[in-house]
Amino acid sequence: MTIINRRSLMVGAAAATLGAPAFARAQTAGTGDWPKGQIKIIVPFPPGGSTDPVARIIQAKLIDNTGWNIIVDNKPGGTGAVGSAIAAKSAPDGQTWMLTFDSHILNPAFAPGLPYKDSELTNVMLIGRTPQALAAHPDRPYKTFAEVVADAKARPGKVNVGVLGASQALVLMTLIKKENNVDLNLIPYKGGGPLTQDLLGGVTDIGISSLTSFSPHFRANKIRPIGVTGEKRTPALPDTPTLIEQGIKGFPSYSWWGVYAPTGTPRPVIDRMNAEIKKAVSAPDVTQKFLEQFNMEILTSSPEEFAAYQKSEQDRWFKVIKDNNIKGD
């Protein structure tokens, strides 16, 4: 059963459970006439990348569907920590939301002194996901990631792999090194742009990033796909095997986008926003944009499903970070 189908069942059960009391609570909490004025969607990253355009596509469709006054407010800094803190400290009145990327849930492990707590943000919706892709410079001989591992075992520490610092990719590649007993030289980057440029220029042998980031360069044959990190092959690269297919030990992993609200935001408001975002991203034109631009698999989870997913991912990756003493810088 897909997440969308599970969500439909859960929404039906929730409606039967809440009923009239939920309406009364909404009125008591002052949310019966929500929204009151401008709605702000905080994006804790600068324009560029994927998170900002995802937010703006959703913003435009929400405005079309509802007539609400919505702005996207970029608050970059600290690998998303600055914007996350602003969202977490905002009034829980349904006027402030945050759309962010998967690195958000790793920040507490990499930077324990964050200016906010996970508990100050509540899960609203997991919008969608895409596998990460591994790519080789075309001058390198590798056709699969298994060939990279074999070469690195023959030449320990000589194969360079570009990864984003303080990212899921860094944690995954550290796990792969350990589980497969291979000495890859991981080179951390502060941004996807520099990582991709060094891969294109042959400074690194291999790079790992979201499929979204690498896709234009795959199409231009400037880099070669050698593996994807999901549970199954992606339609965007049907001839590229997963790491699991290649016999690489590790966990499937995905880049994903999700929406949060300040904790304390009334549940009826969260449910309404969840429903409106689901309607927006499920519209054929938006789904097509997300597929073409980001190779995104639409998920539209319930708040509970998103919270459970976040917990399972944090339990998994925090252990790898702790066991291997991985630093974000």
Side-chain angles (χ1 to χ4, degrees):
M1 184 180 295
T2 66
I3 288 180
I4 290 177
N5 287 337
R6 290 200 305 271
R7 183 187 182 280
S8 297
L9 293 174
M10 293 178 68
V11 168
T17 302
L18 293 174
F23 179 77
R25 286 196 298 273
Q27 293 293 333
T28 302
T31 59
D33 57 350
W34 177 85
K36 297 181 178 179
Q38 187 178 79
I39 292 174
K40 180 188 300 181
I41 300 176
I42 292 175
V43 172
F45 301 101
S50 65
T51 311
D52 181 73
V54 166
R56 293 182 187 278
I57 291 170
I58 292 174
Q59 170 205 24
K61 181 57 72 171
L62 285 175
I63 292 172
D64 286 346
N65 289 347
T66 66
W68 293 341
N69 178 9
I70 306 173
I71 65 166
V72 172
D73 190 11
N74 298 89
K75 296 293 185 184
T79 320
V82 171
S84 297
I86 293 171
K89 305 300 182 183
S90 296
D93 55 8
Q95 301 303 124
T96 301
W97 307 81
M98 180 177 74
L99 194 151
T100 191
F101 196 57
D102 58 80
S103 60
H104 166 76
I105 65 170
L106 298 182
N107 279 338
F110 284 126
L114 291 173
Y116 69 94
K117 299 178 181 177
D118 264 354
S119 59
E120 293 179 289
L121 289 166
T122 193
N123 302 81
V124 176
M125 174 181 283
L126 184 61
I127 295 170
R129 68 182 185 180
T130 184
Q132 297 180 80
L134 291 109
H137 186 275
D139 286 349
R140 302 321 191 258
Y142 315 119
K143 300 297 191 296
T144 67
F145 186 70
E147 293 178 358
V148 175
V149 170
D151 187 27
K153 287 185 176 181
R155 301 186 302 127
K158 299 299 183 181
V159 179
N160 297 323
V161 182
V163 297
L164 283 176
S167 73
Q168 189 181 125
L170 170 62
V171 183
L172 175 65
M173 294 307 298
T174 302
L175 176 68
I176 285 173
K177 286 179 58 174
K178 181 177 181 180
E179 292 296 313
N180 296 274
N181 191 30
V182 58
D183 185 10
L184 296 164
N185 181 30
L186 303 186
I187 303 175
Y189 286 81
K190 292 185 177 180
L195 185 158
T196 302
Q197 288 304 311
D198 275 4
L199 177 60
L200 291 169
V203 176
T204 60
D205 303 303
I206 303 298
I208 177 171
S209 188
S210 71
L211 181 56
T212 301
S213 299
F214 283 166
S215 286
H217 308 295
F218 289 150
R219 289 192 292 268
N221 295 317
K222 293 183 177 180
I223 53 177
R224 180 190 307 120
I226 58 173
V228 291
T229 65
E231 297 160 302
K232 59 184 179 181
R233 296 192 187 193
T234 172
L237 296 172
D239 297 326
T240 302
T242 68
L243 297 187
I244 295 173
E245 285 183 83
Q246 297 183 43
I248 305 300
K249 298 177 183 178
F251 297 128
S253 75
Y254 295 87
S255 299
W256 54 261
W257 300 264
V259 177
Y260 293 81
T263 297
T265 301
R267 182 56 190 254
V269 172
I270 287 176
D271 287 343
R272 174 73 189 282
M273 180 60 90
N274 181 288
E276 292 294 347
I277 294 175
K278 178 182 179 182
K279 180 181 177 182
V281 302
S282 300
D285 58 330
V286 173
T287 298
Q288 187 65 25
K289 286 179 182 178
F290 283 169
L291 178 62
E292 292 176 351
Q293 296 182 32
F294 313 112
N295 297 291
M296 186 192 297
E297 175 189 1
I298 303 296
L299 299 177
T300 59
S301 74
S302 70
E304 289 79 11
E305 287 170 331
F306 186 16
Y309 178 78
Q310 175 170 327
K311 183 179 186 306
S312 68
E313 288 290 283
Q314 286 183 319
D315 288 347
R316 169 191 293 179
W317 299 120
F318 280 25
K319 184 177 188 304
V320 177
I321 292 169
K322 181 179 179 181
D323 289 351
N324 295 276
N325 193 30
I326 304 174
K327 303 300 181 183
D329 51 11

